[in-house]
Amino acid sequence: MLVALATMSLAFLPASSKADILVFAAASLKEAIDAAVADFGKSRGERVVVSYAASSALAKQIENGAPADLFISADLEWMDYLAARNLIDASSRANLAGNRLVLIAPAASTAAMTIGPGFAIDGLLGRGRLAIADPEHVPAGRYARAALERLGVWPSVVRKLAPAENVRAALIFVARGEAPLGIVYRTDALAEKAVRIVDTFPADSHPPILYPAALIAGPVKPGAGAFLASLKSAKGQATFARFGFTPAE
């Protein structure tokens, strides 16, 4: 069972030394980035420490002076937020991967639904709640809201939401049976055996899901650029694909 990833304040950054490369990454990237970190450590002998949380929380921490070397966001908006404040090295910015949005249910659930305009998600929920990441701030929640609005069903569920601090927390609500349905990234659903995918949202029902990465402006650890390059390499892209991510468009 995956554990929920809490939003961390500056006081609770991962333990690291001044020599460690510190990466701030969206919670939904955990398995892929952990694998990439392990490969990088074996090939270069440099230690990478990763702080996972909602992109919004991480961007705010960087704005408040957190000593990150590299930021990987779950959407363009929070990277643009830092770019507008001159807090990233714009020349290093690149989209690393893409993703899909899915409707999930507990693994034992018999819920069935084909997602499309006006689909009866309210009836499928019954008296239960729909687990999504916070739609006001967290990328996964914003994608979910955009899709539900585009398909014309947002008004029917807006009072039945179980908003979570990040997408992995929404996943856990469903995995534990605390919510009968949830909306998460496809990669999250694949990483959790206690849930199953009911259906996938049409790609045109929400903005493209992209993961931009950039070095933080100012001095960063010398190995930070090399780690970013490893994520963009053929081997790094194969790692993203192995965990269900799609190529960045």
Side-chain angles (χ1 to χ4, degrees):
M1 172 71 71
L2 296 170
V3 296
L5 295 164
T7 300
M8 294 171 286
S9 69
L10 294 180
F12 294 97
L13 292 174
S16 63
S17 74
K18 291 183 179 180
D20 295 334
I21 300 164
L22 180 57
V23 176
F24 277 16
S28 55
L29 289 163
K30 187 177 190 321
E31 288 75 24
I33 296 298
D34 281 352
V37 165
D39 287 341
F40 186 77
K42 290 176 183 177
S43 64
R44 291 182 56 99
E46 295 179 79
R47 185 167 181 256
V48 178
V49 175
V50 188
S51 174
Y52 295 105
S55 300
S56 53
L58 296 173
K60 288 290 188 179
Q61 288 182 18
I62 292 169
E63 183 181 23
N64 289 327
D69 297 300
L70 174 66
F71 176 48
I72 312 175
S73 175
D75 74 350
L76 302 178
E77 185 171 324
W78 284 108
M79 188 63 77
D80 291 342
Y81 178 90
L82 294 182
R85 289 157 178 77
N86 299 313
L87 293 173
I88 63 167
D89 175 358
S91 67
S92 70
R93 181 171 174 171
N95 293 331
L96 296 179
N99 215 332
R100 295 296 303 275
L101 202 64
V102 297
L103 181 68
I104 61 169
S109 169
T110 59
M113 176 69 62
T114 299
I115 297 174
F119 73 110
I121 187 172
D122 182 34
L124 196 61
L125 276 172
R127 295 185 178 181
R129 292 192 171 269
L130 177 66
I132 66 171
D134 178 3
E136 296 298 321
H137 302 101
V138 182
R142 290 206 300 261
Y143 290 127
R145 177 173 181 166
L148 295 172
E149 288 179 337
R150 178 71 177 271
L151 297 170
V153 298
W154 176 254
S156 70
V157 300
V158 67
R159 297 182 183 278
K160 293 186 174 184
L161 299 180
E165 62 189 352
N166 59 57
V167 70
R168 287 303 174 91
L171 177 71
I172 293 302
F173 285 161
V174 181
R176 292 177 176 170
E178 296 169 9
L181 296 173
I183 301 175
V184 300
Y185 299 125
R186 178 174 178 270
T187 51
D188 297 310
L190 295 177
E192 176 54 76
K193 294 181 179 179
V195 307
R196 65 179 183 84
I197 295 174
V198 177
D199 200 13
T200 301
F201 282 84
D204 63 358
S205 67
H206 54 79
I209 300 171
L210 293 170
Y211 291 81
L215 298 174
I216 302 306
V220 297
K221 309 297 189 312
F227 181 62
L228 176 55
S230 74
L231 297 176
K232 296 190 292 183
S233 71
K235 185 175 182 180
Q237 291 297 293
T239 298
F240 283 115
R242 177 157 55 95
F243 288 95
F245 290 90
T246 60
E249 298 178 358

